[in-house]
Amino acid sequence: MTALADALGLYVHWPYCARICPYCDFNVYRPKGQDDALLDAILADMTGWRQRTGARPLASIHFGGGTPSLMSGGQISRLIDHADQLWGLEDGAEIGLEANPNNIDNFADIAAAGVNRLSVGVQSLEDAALTRLGRDHDGALARRAIERAMSLCDRVSIDMIYARAGQTAASWEAELREILAFGASHLSPYQLTIESKTAFGRRASRGEQLDSPVELAADLFDLTHEICDAHGLPAYEISNHARTPQDQSRHNRLYWEGGDWIGVGPGAHGRIGSAAATGRLACEAKAQPKAYLDAVAGTGSGLGATEQLSASDERAERILMGMRLDDGLDLEVLQRKTGLTINIDALDRLGGQGLVEQRGARVRLLPAGRIFADRISGELVPDTP
């Protein structure tokens, strides 16, 4: 199996949502009856990408969105089969999909199509919280969706949102313990983030408090790690917990370890190559579904923008991503891919503060540094003349 820093993954963005959540800043749209046309465009875009990447097997395929669980099993199967024909799949390749509890009746078809990892967007088990988050399911359906996913798929992840307005440490602990009692092997608890261009962002700009105060959010972060650790799901990344290394998300680790991935579908991002080889290309597909369809029809590619990253920009991105992992940033890979290293003076200073440590070729956050991950990563990036 290819080391993830050298592996290739495929991300498929399905942009349609039955309802757009007020906190969501992803590239999402309401369905307009263009499913078949979009599917055909994504298939054609994949064919174009095969000409750019050459013959490299896929370590993972991930369906995100939007709400990819709105797709039929037949549509998902066509995409998986086409990817297999173009690139081939590594033995044990992860095929993951983000599922909405409201699409519970589609879970069996999704699994039958070849998806071997379901990520269920539960977000909360509390009816009142789900209403405030603008979700279109209740707590009872969330519980049934978890049970259904676990009956169909060996690898199930549960997504949760915490640090919500009005949430207390006691209420979050009760909710988290109930989630853990289902026995899923992976959990992704995310702090609620208010993004300026969302409905929540507009409400927050008018003075409405929609998330937890900073101090409470920090306490809830620590509590999450403490409870998950005690239940045998330690964090392998800042916001992701898994029972064993085999339960970790292979596709997401590919991002964090700086592997290559192709992005197809409206607004999908990708990264290909490295500064030490042919240069690292940052790619973004056309965001609007119609613009994406038109681009593929006209050129065979949905690309809207590409950028050749400089070695220093690539280094900064690899440090930011790699430091999120519990086992940290691999300095040997960083050197091999970019020809550059980290800020050694900052490493010494942060190490003296008990925030990071170096173990062999890896630099990793210590528990006290987890909550400051982005700031620490920034300090490890050397100033560029």
Side-chain angles (χ1 to χ4, degrees), residues 31-283:
K32 294 183 179 179
Q34 293 180 305
D35 285 23
D36 290 339
L38 180 58
L39 181 68
D40 289 340
I42 292 174
L43 291 167
D45 200 5
M46 288 165 60
T47 300
W49 267 109
R50 173 60 175 80
Q51 297 171 3
R52 301 183 193 100
T53 63
R56 298 175 60 186
L58 294 174
S60 61
I61 302 173
H62 188 79
F63 294 91
T67 310
S69 56
L70 287 171
M71 286 192 284
S72 69
Q75 290 173 321
I76 294 166
S77 181
R78 282 186 66 191
L79 289 163
I80 294 171
D81 289 347
H82 193 54
D84 193 14
Q85 291 165 11
L86 292 171
W87 290 281
L89 300 176
E90 288 189 0
D91 290 341
E94 176 183 285
I95 304 176
L97 183 141
E98 299 166 12
N100 190 318
N102 260 31
N103 305 132
I104 186 171
D105 292 339
N106 203 26
F107 285 9
D109 289 343
I110 291 170
V115 170
N116 55 31
R117 184 179 188 272
L118 272 176
S119 180
V120 186
V122 169
Q123 315 313 355
S124 178
L125 295 176
E126 298 178 359
D127 289 348
L130 289 166
T131 298
R132 288 193 295 271
L133 290 171
R135 301 295 293 175
D136 55 2
H137 67 272
D138 59 15
L141 181 55
R143 293 174 176 88
R144 292 200 304 274
I146 295 170
E147 292 172 347
R148 181 61 171 157
M150 293 183 66
S151 74
L152 293 165
C153 224
D154 290 336
R155 302 182 64 206
V156 172
S157 178
I158 303 172
D159 289 357
M160 298 290 289
I161 293 177
Y162 69 101
R164 312 180 301 257
Q167 191 173 36
T168 65
S171 65
W172 172 233
E173 178 174 353
E175 193 173 6
L176 181 56
R177 289 186 184 280
E178 183 178 356
I179 282 290
L180 290 165
F182 282 97
S185 59
H186 193 283
L187 178 67
S188 296
Y190 299 108
Q191 288 195 25
L192 177 62
T193 302
I194 307 300
E195 303 290 350
S196 61
K197 295 182 179 180
T198 64
F200 268 15
R202 292 187 289 274
R203 288 165 58 183
S205 70
R206 297 193 293 269
E208 188 173 351
Q209 182 67 44
L210 297 163
D211 56 354
S212 297
V214 173
E215 296 81 2
L216 176 58
D219 290 343
L220 295 177
F221 176 85
D222 290 339
L223 179 63
T224 301
H225 282 257
E226 176 186 326
I227 293 173
C228 288
D229 283 350
H231 279 76
L233 270 77
Y236 69 97
E237 189 269 347
I238 296 294
S239 300
N240 287 271
H241 302 251
R243 195 170 307 284
T244 70
Q246 291 72 36
D247 295 315
Q248 297 176 10
S249 169
R250 185 165 172 79
H251 187 81
N252 285 339
R253 278 206 72 118
L254 184 148
Y255 294 157
W256 297 317
E257 294 194 27
D260 290 352
W261 73 93
I262 301 154
V264 293
H269 290 250
R271 294 289 187 276
I272 298 290
S274 68
T278 57
R280 190 155 178 84
L281 195 65
C283 310

Side-chain angles (χ1 to χ4, degrees), residues 5-6 56 258-260 271-282 307-318 332-341:
D6 301 309
R56 298 175 60 186
D260 290 352
R271 294 289 187 276
I272 298 290
S274 68
T278 57
R280 190 155 178 84
L281 195 65
E307 178 188 359
Q308 191 82 39
L309 298 179
S310 67
S312 59
D313 286 343
E314 180 182 344
R315 170 178 59 187
E317 190 172 86
R318 288 181 180 276
E332 291 180 350
V333 170
L334 181 66
Q335 174 70 36
R336 175 165 59 87
K337 296 286 188 178
T338 68
L340 302 172
T341 190

Side-chain angles (χ1 to χ4, degrees), residues 348-371:
D348 290 342
R349 174 172 46 80
L350 293 164
Q353 295 170 358
L355 300 175
V356 302
E357 68 174 2
Q358 182 170 356
R359 288 185 180 177
R362 285 189 178 264
V363 174
R364 63 185 294 269
L365 295 169
L366 291 170
R370 286 173 177 166
I371 202 165

